[in-house]
Amino acid sequence: MPITYEPIATTTLGSAAATVTFSSIPATYTDLVLVSIATTSVGGRDYNLRFNSDAGSNYSFTVLAGSGSAASSARGTNTGSTGLYIVAGTSTSTPGVVISNIMNYSNTTTYKTVIQRGNEPGGEVCSGVALWRSTSAISTIAITASTGSGNWNTGSTFTLYGIKSA
């Protein structure tokens, strides 16, 4: 059977914002897919996901990035103040595209895994995996620009999809 993506919500910013939040996420899907096409005010290449407003030290991540001439990586455990770190490849003028697959988001017996990939035309490509060590169902996702030091620019778009069970 084909996988069916169903749009849950889309936000296109009419003015700059530090955080974009999806709340009241229904628990009727197997997984979530978050797609962002965005630029930031400071051109930072990173952003963070926080689930259910949880600032506890129960997030971990590993990311890899490359520009064609250089490669980098980052890893963090027990991060809480920022949530899940994602190297996004966003800039001030060229929209970066990031796709985050959030597995088993409504399952209350497992931790939540996120697989992400992103790119910025003419810039970096990146890939990573992250873990939220909580068995709570995800009902809210906050997306913060550039580790909290910048804003998402006007026109940035964020879409949350649910994957229907087969």
Side-chain angles (χ1 to χ4, degrees), residues 96-160:
V97 178
V98 177
I99 301 170
S100 301
N101 294 275
I102 305 165
M103 313 300 178
N104 295 313
Y105 79 102
S106 61
N107 187 320
T108 58
T109 62
T110 61
Y111 292 162
K112 310 309 179 276
T113 301
V114 180
I115 298 172
Q116 65 254 352
R117 60 191 184 282
N119 68 57
E120 174 191 353
E124 288 189 334
V125 295
C126 59
S127 183
V129 63
L131 181 69
W132 181 43
R133 291 184 306 278
S134 173
T135 57
S136 297
I138 296 172
S139 60
T140 302
I141 301 172
I143 311 149
T144 305
S146 300
T147 318
S149 64
N151 287 321
W152 297 112
N153 288 335
T154 301
S156 293
T157 300
F158 303 85
T159 302
L160 185 65

Side-chain angles (χ1 to χ4, degrees), residues 46-109:
D46 54 342
Y47 75 80
N48 299 295
L49 299 179
R50 178 173 288 158
F51 301 128
N52 299 351
S53 302
D54 180 8
S57 296
N58 51 3
Y59 297 93
S60 301
F61 65 87
T62 301
V63 293
L64 304 170
S67 64
S69 60
S72 63
S73 65
R75 184 174 184 275
T77 58
N78 301 323
T79 61
S81 62
T82 58
L84 295 177
Y85 171 79
I86 297 176
V87 175
T90 56
S91 75
T92 57
S93 60
T94 305
V97 178
V98 177
I99 301 170
S100 301
N101 294 275
I102 305 165
M103 313 300 178
N104 295 313
Y105 79 102
S106 61
N107 187 320
T108 58
T109 62

Side-chain angles (χ1 to χ4, degrees), residues 1-9 25-35 99-107 113 115 117 159-166:
M1 292 187 142
I3 296 174
T4 303
Y5 290 71
E6 186 171 286
I8 297 171
I25 299 168
T28 54
Y29 304 96
T30 58
D31 304 299
L32 298 173
V33 178
L34 174 63
V35 178
I99 301 170
S100 301
N101 294 275
I102 305 165
M103 313 300 178
N104 295 313
Y105 79 102
S106 61
N107 187 320
T113 301
I115 298 172
R117 60 191 184 282
T159 302
L160 185 65
Y161 297 92
I163 298 178
K164 291 184 175 183
S165 56

